[in-house]
Amino acid sequence: MQFINMTTHRVLVTGASGLLGRAILKEFKASSSWEALGLAFSRARADLKKVDLTDRKAVNDVVNEFKPDVIIHSAAERSVDVIEKDPEGTKRINLDATQFLCEAADAINAWVLFISTDYVFDGKNPPYKVTDEPNPLNLYGKGKVEGEKLTLKVNSGYGVLRVPVLYGEIEKLSESAVTVLFSKVKDTSTKSLIDAKQQRFPTLVDDIAYVIRELSEKKLQDPEIKGIFHWSNNEVYTKYDMAVTMAKAFGISTEHIAPDMSSSSTANRPDNSQLDCSRIENLGINKRTKFSEAIVDVLKPYL
């Protein structure tokens, strides 16, 4: 006789209206093993619960009501330039909310996975292992290091997942630092300089979401799944390379775009913060989609 495992677990996803959050929620909802609830605030929709994560009581209420086994904390202000201009507002979203969430989770014995970034590194000695000491160049990276420490201080059994620049199914081109490049690619009447210095590892959010679900399932079976993890695609691109790849995919001329070697933006960014992903690979988890293939499906609606 075959027995069917009817056990379902509950997952709470913060930032579920965002680029990564939407993919994470979709991944968990597609699995019969999970019951998922997505949280959002300024962009809350009918399928998401509106919660202000900077309100401790609101956080406690939703955690105690839903009683998740796992919380994926992907809510954050991610715009590096916005953070440089409003560090206090960012602290409330990126740090206070993390504190409230981790403490509420700890009280009901739920596992938290904090989503961090490759920007915790200075980009001078890649690839970076999970044991390497962070040395962030900008306020975004510094805030994420604080968030990591705060998460693991509340409970050393919690997890941190560092990821690189992301792209995927977008609501507008400007939603991702990758897809925003397509605006320049399409505008063949305007000459554009595009960064060709900083090396990036653009990663599809669907791949990250898969890794997160697999990691969460392994955590429920093994308490040693804790601490810091990395996941990233392994193909290297500058923003200029990405733009050229997009242009070629749709038969658009590249004569109007040129490589920029100056790296002139408001905030300092690492030149190469490649992540060593062997800790997750050693768990038997692996999903990487080729950029040149995935970007076509992502950008088709915006031609």
Side-chain angles (χ1 to χ4, degrees):
M1 179 183 283
Q2 188 176 19
F3 291 97
I4 299 171
N5 183 6
M6 299 298 285
T7 305
T8 59
H9 297 287
R10 288 183 162 194
V11 61
L12 192 68
V13 180
T14 72
S17 62
L19 178 68
L20 178 58
R22 293 195 304 269
I24 296 169
L25 190 63
K26 183 179 177 184
E27 175 70 32
F28 277 103
K29 282 191 167 182
S31 169
S32 58
S33 302
W34 291 92
E35 183 183 341
L37 174 65
L39 305 186
F41 185 60
S42 60
R43 290 195 290 167
R45 300 186 298 263
D47 59 330
L48 304 175
K49 189 173 179 67
K50 186 171 184 174
V51 175
D52 179 0
L53 296 179
T54 65
D55 178 340
R56 187 191 288 271
K57 183 182 182 302
V59 171
N60 284 335
D61 287 349
V62 73
V63 169
N64 289 320
E65 187 183 310
F66 187 63
K67 291 189 170 46
D69 301 286
V70 171
I71 297 175
I72 310 299
H73 184 30
S74 76
E77 175 54 69
R78 284 193 178 82
S79 169
V80 176
D81 294 332
V82 167
I83 291 165
E84 296 289 326
K85 289 169 188 166
D86 182 19
E88 274 308 305
T90 301
K91 178 186 174 292
R92 287 194 297 276
I93 300 167
N94 289 4
L95 294 178
D96 295 351
T98 301
Q99 177 96 39
F100 301 157
L101 202 65
C102 288
E103 289 175 355
D106 194 45
I108 63 157
N109 203 27
W111 186 60
V112 175
L113 182 65
F114 175 80
I115 306 301
S116 189
T117 174
D118 60 343
Y119 276 23
V120 300
F121 299 113
D122 59 19
K124 292 171 183 169
N125 296 292
Y128 291 95
K129 296 185 172 66
V130 295
T131 50
D132 286 337
E133 194 64 33
N135 184 32
L137 300 177
N138 54 47
L139 287 179
Y140 174 57
K142 287 172 185 172
K144 281 297 189 182
V145 171
E146 286 184 58
E148 292 179 4
K149 288 177 179 174
L150 194 156
T151 300
L152 298 175
K153 185 181 177 184
V154 171
N155 189 320
S156 61
Y158 285 169
V160 166
L161 178 65
R162 294 175 181 149
V163 298
V165 64
L166 304 176
Y167 71 99
E169 193 176 313
I170 47 173
E171 294 182 342
K172 54 185 177 181
L173 286 175
S174 60
E175 194 175 16
S176 158
V178 173
T179 54
V180 72
L181 297 169
F182 197 50
S183 302
K184 291 181 177 179
V185 171
K186 285 195 299 179
D187 186 4
T188 54
S189 63
T190 306
K191 294 278 184 187
S192 291
L193 279 173
I194 300 178
D195 179 67
K197 186 179 176 216
Q198 294 164 351
Q199 296 186 305
R200 295 285 172 256
F201 296 81
T203 302
L204 187 66
V205 288
D206 302 47
D207 293 353
I208 299 284
Y210 171 85
V211 166
I212 287 171
R213 181 183 56 76
E214 288 278 316
L215 193 61
S216 301
E217 289 173 359
K218 288 187 184 295
K219 168 65 186 182
L220 294 175
Q221 297 164 357
D222 181 2
E224 290 309 303
I225 305 281
K226 60 184 179 180
I228 297 169
F229 298 88
H230 292 166
W231 194 254
S232 166
N233 206 336
N234 48 16
E235 301 171 306
V236 61
Y237 285 82
T238 64
K239 284 188 174 181
Y240 176 72
D241 296 332
M242 292 183 221
V244 169
T245 302
M246 293 172 190
K248 285 181 176 174
F250 295 105
I252 300 170
S253 168
T254 58
E255 286 184 13
H256 63 295
I257 56 175
D260 178 10
M261 299 302 293
S262 67
S263 291
S264 55
S265 71
T266 313
N268 289 324
R269 290 170 168 84
D271 281 343
N272 183 346
S273 48
Q274 182 180 9
L275 299 170
D276 177 318
C277 304
S278 56
R279 191 176 178 209
I280 284 180
E281 289 167 344
N282 291 339
L283 291 171
I285 303 171
N286 195 327
K287 190 166 192 274
R288 291 185 174 97
T289 306
K290 281 179 72 71
F291 177 76
S292 58
E293 293 170 4
I295 199 65
V296 174
D297 291 330
V298 169
L299 295 177
K300 259 181 195 169
Y302 298 89
L303 263 181

